[in-house]
Amino acid sequence: MPTVMTLTLNGESRSFDGPLSVATLLAALGLDTRKVAVERNEAIVPRSRYAQTWLGGGDSLEIVHFIGGG
Amino acid sequence: MDGLLPADDTWTVAGRRFRSRLVVGTGKYKDLQETAAAIAASGAEIVTVAVRRVNLSDPSAPMLQDHVDPKKYTYLPNTAGCHTAKDAVRTLRLAREAGGWNLVKLEVLGPPPTLYPDMPATFEAAEALVKDGFEVMVYCADDPVAAKRLEQMGCVAIMPLGAPIGSGLGIQNAAMIWMLREQTTLPFLVDAGVGTASDAAIAMELGCDAVLLNSAIAHARDPVTMARAMKHAVEAGRLAYLAGRMPRRLGADPSSPLTGLIR
């Protein structure tokens, strides 16, 4: 039974059909998992656990990558 | 133009050995092509990188790794923009997950306009990071007491500023940089303040193991040419340090013999 849940992604509120893992979220967003890192509710999600990490409504995620910097 | 320095003149940080004594940032360039060209011209083996949110509305935008190969260059993630210990630690934990390594640059900054290192917050972050297994190269004030404390905490490199970040004012504190160099056995870098090639040479002449800079190349009119200048300046400064400069003297000492003058 799909459910709609609201997540906060990089500070923005977005709705998705659940259930949703970090792996399926990144795929839906079109992101290359080798080039990003994910924090869920201020805790790191190890890359090896993306597929088993299920998201819940209200979760807040930071999805980051490397950019130029000094 | 390679080979100015002896082949065995290397430096080591956290067990990794490097030949280039120039560490460059990857920020402030016009585009990623210019970033890549300037870094190649600099001869740097370590590049600093920032950690930021992915632009979710444009996930296919070119990424730094596509232009600056992490297999070729050692990425040194930084905490630029972090003003609290908590943000710095979160940022580097994300960086470790994104890249898979522990060698990082910690900087916790005070407010503009100086962005001076916030040393109490830097201590707090350094302690948490060392405990969490990171190898911390630390941006710090030119403060011998703070530098010693960071060394005792287990940081792997001490990196005081020569002048405020992005100011290009050059090494404003040569005496303090020299004293800090003398008191530490850790890798020691000037990080921030270099404006042009002679500034980088001065830092090396003071005994630094390496120099870290970004704006001096990225904001030069011709970044690629300035990157080459920095490469040679760092090598020249290193050679001068190895050679040992002549003593300073108050007064003249003629270079030509005083005997045999015509009358």
Side-chain angles (χ1 to χ4, degrees):
Chain A
M1 216 13 221
T3 52
V4 174
M5 61 181 169
T6 302
L7 305 172
T8 303
L9 301 183
N10 289 351
E12 284 181 28
S13 191
R14 301 263 299 258
S15 293
F16 293 88
D17 288 332
L20 193 64
S21 68
V22 171
T24 47
L25 172 69
L26 293 177
L29 293 169
L31 293 171
D32 181 345
T33 55
R34 293 166 305 170
K35 292 177 182 169
V36 302
V38 179
E39 188 191 64
R40 176 199 188 197
N41 301 332
E42 300 199 8
I44 294 286
V45 182
R47 194 170 295 177
S48 58
R49 298 195 52 80
Y50 285 173
Q52 304 101 292
T53 303
W54 296 94
L55 298 171
D59 279 356
S60 179
L61 286 96
E62 295 287 341
I63 305 171
V64 303
H65 64 156
F66 290 128
I67 66 156
Chain B
M1 293 292 285
D2 280 340
L4 267 182
L5 288 164
D8 60 351
D9 186 59
T10 59
W11 67 291
T12 301
V13 59
R16 297 160 173 85
R17 182 187 287 206
F18 299 99
R19 274 189 60 71
S20 173
R21 294 176 179 274
L22 180 57
V23 179
V24 296
T26 54
K28 296 182 170 177
Y29 287 96
K30 184 177 70 189
D31 52 37
L32 287 167
Q33 283 78 13
E34 188 182 72
T35 310
I39 288 166
S42 77
E45 296 167 308
I46 305 175
V47 298
T48 64
V49 297
V51 177
R52 290 292 182 274
R53 286 172 165 172
V54 172
N55 179 359
L56 297 175
S57 61
D58 187 11
S60 60
M63 289 195 182
L64 185 66
Q65 290 101 312
D66 301 327
H67 294 266
V68 180
D69 185 354
K71 293 193 196 74
K72 185 171 171 198
Y73 298 98
T74 298
Y75 270 32
L76 183 65
N78 71 20
T79 58
C82 291
H83 294 273
T84 66
K86 182 188 168 195
D87 284 349
V89 172
R90 278 178 72 193
T91 297
L92 291 177
R93 284 182 177 145
L94 280 163
R96 177 163 64 181
E97 195 54 35
W101 55 84
N102 291 327
L103 187 65
V104 295
K105 171 184 162 180
L106 171 65
E107 56 183 299
V108 188
L109 306 180
T114 61
L115 298 176
Y116 206 75
D118 179 334
M119 293 315 299
T122 301
F123 293 141
E124 187 186 341
E127 184 173 27
L129 290 165
V130 170
K131 194 184 287 181
D132 198 11
F134 285 93
E135 293 169 315
V136 182
M137 300 175 72
V138 57
Y139 175 61
C140 58
D142 59 345
D143 172 342
V145 180
K148 180 56 74 180
R149 183 163 167 194
L150 290 166
E151 181 171 347
Q152 288 165 345
M153 290 172 80
C155 293
V156 300
I158 303 296
M159 307 199 295
L161 75 172
I165 292 170
S167 68
L169 287 172
I171 312 301
Q172 293 294 305
N173 49 358
M176 284 310 300
I177 293 292
W178 183 81
M179 280 185 258
L180 287 161
R181 161 75 287 181
E182 289 295 298
Q183 80 160 22
T184 185
T185 54
L186 289 179
F188 181 80
L189 293 80
V190 160
D191 177 1
V194 168
T196 188
S198 53
D199 301 330
I202 287 169
M204 293 307 299
E205 288 170 8
L206 291 168
C208 291
D209 292 292
V211 178
L212 200 165
L213 56 89
N214 187 156
S215 307
I217 294 177
H219 280 180
R221 192 180 67 242
D222 177 348
V224 174
T225 300
M226 184 58 86
R228 289 176 57 208
M230 288 298 181
K231 176 183 197 291
H232 293 298
V234 165
E235 291 178 357
R238 175 63 183 171
L239 280 176
Y241 174 75
L242 292 174
R245 60 153 297 144
M246 66 166 281
R248 290 180 172 83
R249 50 186 296 147
L250 295 171
D253 178 22
S255 299
S256 303
L258 293 176
T259 55
L261 289 163
I262 57 167
R263 293 280 182 249

